[in-house]
Amino acid sequence: MAPAPRIECDVLVVGGGMAGATAALAAREAGARVVMARKSPGSTGLSGGAVSVAQDPACMPDAPFAARSGVVESARRIAATRPGHPYGLLRDRLDRLWNAVEFATGQLSSVLAPPTGRNRWLLTPFGHAHPAAACQRTMAAGDLAEVRGTLVVCGFEGHLGWDPGLVASGAVRVEPLGGPRPRAVLLDLFRWEEGAVGTPFDLARLLEAPGAAEEAGKILKRILARGDAAAVLPPVLGIDPAARVPERMSAEAGIPVAEFLSDLPSVPGLRMHRAIEARLAAAGVEVLGGEVRSGAGPDLPAAVGGREVVARSWVLASGRFVGGGIERRGELRESVLGLPVQASEGPFADPSIRFAARAAATLTQADSRAPQALLAAGLRVDGELHPLDAEGRVVHPRVFAAGAVVGGHDPASDGTGMGVAIFTGWLAGRAAAGRGA
Ligand SMILES: Cc1cc2nc3c(=O)[nH]c(=O)nc-3n(C[C@H](O)[C@H](O)[C@H](O)COP(=O)(O)OP(=O)(O)OC[C@H]3O[C@@H](n4cnc5c(N)ncnc54)[C@H](O)[C@@H]3O)c2cc1C
């Protein structure tokens, strides 16, 4: 059999979620030849549309929006109170956090609105208001800190996927903090049956069709009342940003139109995944679909997608349990280089704990609100983002880790998921390309 064609490059990024994409693009910007290996969209492709970077842990829940700390200041406070969190480990470099956020949002500007430095407040499908340093363009007009007047929270008549009353209850709770008064309504968009039983992806495609967004805008306009300042709809306002679904609706309705955040399945997640794919291609990152199994590390061949890749540096951006970077095969272990999985905070705060060989049940607490060590399990890294072995030694000077594969934070729930992915991805990509922060 002919040997697999070999690719030689400066940086191999394992993982194509937000951390891997940011690392690859940062390394490309630094002039490196970059190959990315990824087996799936990862949790980034499931995410709800918010880019959560930091919320001030010291802030009182009833503090008005306008009195809240900016995003970087909030990250500094997290770093001060949680030394095992990636922001804590990188506290001396947090002055570059905003450079990283601006870099990633600029690279993905086809889907992401420019960040302002403070958190936007976005409604979730479950009746909460969620702070986010950045969000998809389709969501920016629903920022509760900015809407002046009544916010019209829409559901779809005859479709059980979203409850506008529940969504609006999130706005009711934060109205005293400076948010708008919400009004829940049902839009009767689905006189055609396939709409009423459609998945979010079906609905998004229906609204992209010529005339459909305009028709939806006219229906919205008919139920508007005096004082209505903006409308938020279920997160199905088109998959392709070029279809301009919110803009077309807004032009007919006469008020700004936005989406609220998404649950699964997530149209915004797919939108983000596609935007990442397009940006990587435009930037000249070579993407190989497939799994890197038991790679040996820098300067040695790694098999992926029928090719053999030899890279001077590696960035492990392989995610956590959803992405597949950390797996449980009797014990927790990192899936590509077989590194030990640890965590350095929470009730099991001993950083010397090696989770491998411990039963997963010993890493959880029955009180679901208590910190769960299992959910913060991941690689232990140093301040340069080098993974460490069980004895705390750097595994390899040219292997870096980024994103959810790094332990010490719970990316799905602690409000720093995308922020950690972007900051560590940016730092790791630059370091792997031979450029420090
Ligand atoms: C349902 C859900 C909703 C979320 N919503 C939000 C949100 O709205 N806002 C927010 O800030 N955060 C959100 N998060 C958290 C956020 O999505 C993650 O923190 C972030 O996406 C992590 O990015 P990542 O690149 O580190 O990992 P991932 O996005 O998981 O990417 C990991 C990548 O590694 C690849 N990979 C793994 N192993 C291998 C291998 N051996 N070979 C090749 N490729 C491999 C995977 O295929 C994937 O491409 C959400 C998480 C979930 C699960």
Side-chain angles (χ1 to χ4, degrees), residues 14-20 37-53 130 261 264 290-293 317-320 322-325 335-336 402-405 409 411-412 416-419 421:
V14 183
M18 183 59 90
R38 58 125 179 75
K39 61 179 179 179
S40 75
S43 57
T44 302
L46 305 175
S47 58
V51 174
S52 304
V53 176
H130 182 77
L261 293 171
L264 292 172
E291 183 170 14
V292 179
R293 283 310 300 175
S318 43
R320 189 82 55 89
V322 176
S335 63
V336 178
V405 75
H409 69 124
T416 64
M418 289 286 187

Side-chain angles (χ1 to χ4, degrees), residues 143-165:
D143 178 1
L144 299 174
E146 289 294 321
V147 176
R148 303 277 171 265
T150 303
L151 179 68
V152 185
V153 181
C154 304
F156 297 140
E157 181 82 55
H159 196 289
L160 298 177
W162 301 271
D163 175 353

